[in-house]
Amino acid sequence: MNRRNLILSTSLALAAAAVAPAATWAAEGAYPSKPIKLIVPFPPGGGTDTTSRLVAEKFTALHKWIVVVDNRPGAAGNIGLDAVAKSAADGYTIGMGQAANLAINPALYSKMPFDPLKDFTPIVEIAVQPVVLVVRDDSPYKTLADLVKAAKDKPGTMSIGQAGSGTVGHLAGELLSRRAGIQVLQVPYKGAGPAMTDLLGGQIPAYFGNSVSVMTQVQAGKVRALAVTSAQRLPALPKVPTVAEQGFAGFEAVTWLGLVGPAKMPADAVTLLNKEVVSILGRKDVQERLSSEGSIPVTGTPAQFAALIKAEHAKWGGLIREASIKLD
């Protein structure tokens, strides 16, 4: 699915949602009659966690709904999403799925604990986030070309951290290695928080992190952004060139995230959750916060999200098989 077209096609829906009165659960029936668990398949502090907590906070602030965030990191998001897939399909356990665990991992791992196309109910897409290549503020690498040159001068010595094997950050590093003709040691972490900690501590020289997870440190001047992996520059980082602009035409690798539930989730619960998330994303304060953190709010219907997952599953799977990338 074309990301630009999807963003444009949902802009009017977001605007309309901003002025539409939010529906109440009471008006729709008994659901929810107890807290809703939102499983986040990565640790606290990363981009997926930040966006998940924003949505949960708005549910509580606007409607007094109880949404409990449950971080279950590991296996590039597979552990947390597997818990969602195996939960009761009653609408009280949902998860924050993303490109890594729903579209990329199935091609990277020979065995998966779930089928991303059969074991979930797509609810709503929430945001698109490019990956940003960052180094410490005192790094000798001022540009992407500097890092590539260093990797070529000493093959096999350059390492780049990423938030987990199978994440878009991981694939961005693999793609850069192949396009630039360099050998890079991929260093997987159990989430963005630990990766950023090691970057700041000097354990790794560079990190391919999603835009939300690196934005605070970039804005604080603690890390320097060398490139973004989207087709266009990120509005929150207008001075940072894309990878494509720096000699790698056509380079693009972005992540997306959205809510999913177990397969066969009640249709009324899916409809209500979709409606309320669209309403939340239509709020100006939410849009401004997401944008400032490096996200692009993108929403739509459950059917549109299902189509995106299917299309991205095919896209990344083909690319991974072509590049012969395997994790087991």
Side-chain angles (χ1 to χ4, degrees), residues 7-306:
I7 293 171
L8 291 172
S9 69
T10 58
S11 61
L12 292 177
L14 284 169
V19 298
T24 63
W25 294 114
E28 299 291 344
Y31 175 82
S33 59
K34 60 182 180 180
I36 297 172
K37 181 186 296 183
L38 171 55
I39 294 179
V40 179
F42 293 97
T48 301
D49 178 72
T50 299
T51 302
S52 300
R53 290 181 184 275
L54 172 60
V55 172
E57 289 167 7
K58 287 300 179 181
F59 276 147
T60 300
L62 298 174
H63 307 296
K64 307 303 181 184
W65 305 335
I66 301 176
V67 179
V68 181
V69 175
D70 182 3
N71 294 89
R72 297 196 192 182
N78 286 354
I79 291 176
L81 263 289
D82 186 44
V84 176
K86 292 178 171 55
S87 296
D90 56 8
Y92 290 98
T93 299
I94 57 179
M96 189 62 77
Q98 58 167 223
N101 38 56
L102 293 175
I104 296 173
N105 288 355
L108 287 173
Y109 294 90
S110 59
K111 293 183 179 180
M112 285 285 289
F114 55 78
D115 184 327
L117 302 181
K118 296 180 180 179
D119 294 341
F120 298 100
T121 299
I123 299 171
V124 62
E125 186 183 7
I126 290 176
V128 173
Q129 300 166 348
V131 178
V132 184
L133 178 61
V134 294
V135 296
R136 283 192 357 165
D137 63 328
D138 59 355
S139 170
Y141 311 129
K142 307 298 183 183
T143 65
L144 177 59
D146 291 341
L147 186 145
V148 170
K149 183 178 184 302
K152 287 184 175 180
D153 289 344
K154 295 183 179 180
T157 62
M158 177 62 67
S159 59
I160 298 181
Q162 26 97 348
S165 298
T167 60
V168 175
H170 169 210
L171 284 192
E174 292 286 354
L175 289 173
L176 178 63
S177 298
R178 284 164 172 74
R179 292 289 301 274
I182 58 178
Q183 296 178 22
V184 171
L185 174 63
Q186 292 274 1
V187 184
Y189 287 86
K190 291 184 177 181
M196 180 58 75
T197 296
D198 270 12
L199 176 69
L200 294 173
Q203 280 71 44
I204 52 175
Y207 167 45
F208 254 129
N210 105 5
S211 52
V212 174
S213 70
V214 306
M215 193 61 63
T216 299
Q217 301 297 350
V218 171
Q219 293 171 338
K222 293 184 178 180
V223 301
R224 181 187 309 120
L226 302 184
V228 296
T229 61
S230 47
Q232 289 84 32
R233 295 191 183 195
L234 188 63
L237 297 173
K239 295 183 179 180
V240 180
T242 67
V243 175
E245 287 179 287
Q246 300 183 71
F248 303 96
F251 192 106
E252 184 176 13
V254 299
T255 193
W256 42 263
L257 57 157
L259 294 179
V260 297
K264 300 180 181 180
M265 187 171 157
D268 59 342
V270 174
T271 299
L272 284 170
L273 286 171
N274 178 278
K275 183 177 182 179
E276 298 305 335
V277 170
V278 170
S279 177
I280 287 172
L281 291 174
R283 294 176 59 89
K284 184 178 179 180
D285 62 323
V286 173
Q287 293 183 28
E288 290 178 345
R289 178 170 165 182
L290 287 173
S291 178
S292 69
E293 293 174 345
S295 288
I296 303 171
V298 181
T299 188
T301 66
Q304 287 175 320
F305 190 27

